[in-house]
Amino acid sequence: TSRAVIHELAADARTLNELGHKWRSGASIIEADEDNTGGMEAIVKFYRGLVQYPLQTAKRRVLIFTCSFGGGHKSAATAVSDYLKAAGFETVVMDTTHDQHFYMEYNVLSAKMFNDFIIKGQRYGIFNMMDTFKQLMGLLRKPCPSPS
């Protein structure tokens, strides 16, 4: 049973700990186990366990949110993802405009209008006027403060 295995592991850990104390006090591993503490047997079990169950290292994961309004958001998300992957992270980039967990028809239609009409048509002035109107009406939130 797993309870028996846990007890056995605990006993082996205690034995290895005792063996380590003796070894640190100057005895060799063989001499430290001469009084038959079972330390050598515990060491053998430890290394057999390593072979049977190699250590699993958890990979660090990052979730990066982006959206489909223009290309800048996706480019920035891809760049951040690439930097993090190079540092050993596992990354997932999620587009909140189209992902099923965030899907809202209004967002999809807004993105299509923005991308097709404003960006592709280079009608930036219209968008800037819309932003100015929203600012005057108090509909836009203030930008987040810079972290620096």
Side-chain angles (χ1 to χ4, degrees), residues 21-47:
H21 286 301
K22 291 177 185 177
W23 178 70
R24 282 190 289 283
S25 66
S28 73
I29 293 290
I30 303 295
E31 292 170 337
D33 197 37
E34 278 186 353
D35 59 348
N36 199 20
T37 62
M40 295 306 287
E41 185 180 324
I43 290 174
V44 169
K45 284 183 189 177
F46 173 76
Y47 283 103

Side-chain angles (χ1 to χ4, degrees), residues 55-73:
L55 294 175
Q56 301 290 320
T57 56
K59 192 161 191 169
R60 298 177 294 176
R61 296 179 177 172
V62 176
L63 175 60
I64 302 167
F65 292 102
T66 188
C67 65
S68 293
F69 286 80
H73 297 98

Side-chain angles (χ1 to χ4, degrees), residues 9-23:
L9 286 172
D12 288 346
R14 279 192 301 277
T15 302
L16 287 172
N17 193 31
E18 291 169 13
L19 188 63
H21 286 301
K22 291 177 185 177
W23 178 70

Side-chain angles (χ1 to χ4, degrees), residues 93-136:
V93 176
M94 182 176 286
D95 183 342
T96 59
T97 308
H98 297 288
D99 186 270
Q100 66 180 3
H101 296 96
F102 295 93
Y103 185 85
M104 290 175 58
E105 191 171 345
Y106 172 79
N107 286 344
V108 174
L109 293 173
S110 297
K112 181 155 181 55
M113 195 272 305
F114 180 80
N115 293 330
D116 292 348
F117 183 72
I118 303 293
I119 299 294
K120 287 180 184 173
Q122 297 182 349
R123 296 177 180 97
Y124 310 114
I126 294 173
F127 185 75
N128 292 340
M129 284 184 353
M130 289 170 41
D131 256 2
T132 302
F133 177 74
K134 287 179 183 178
Q135 284 176 331
L136 293 172

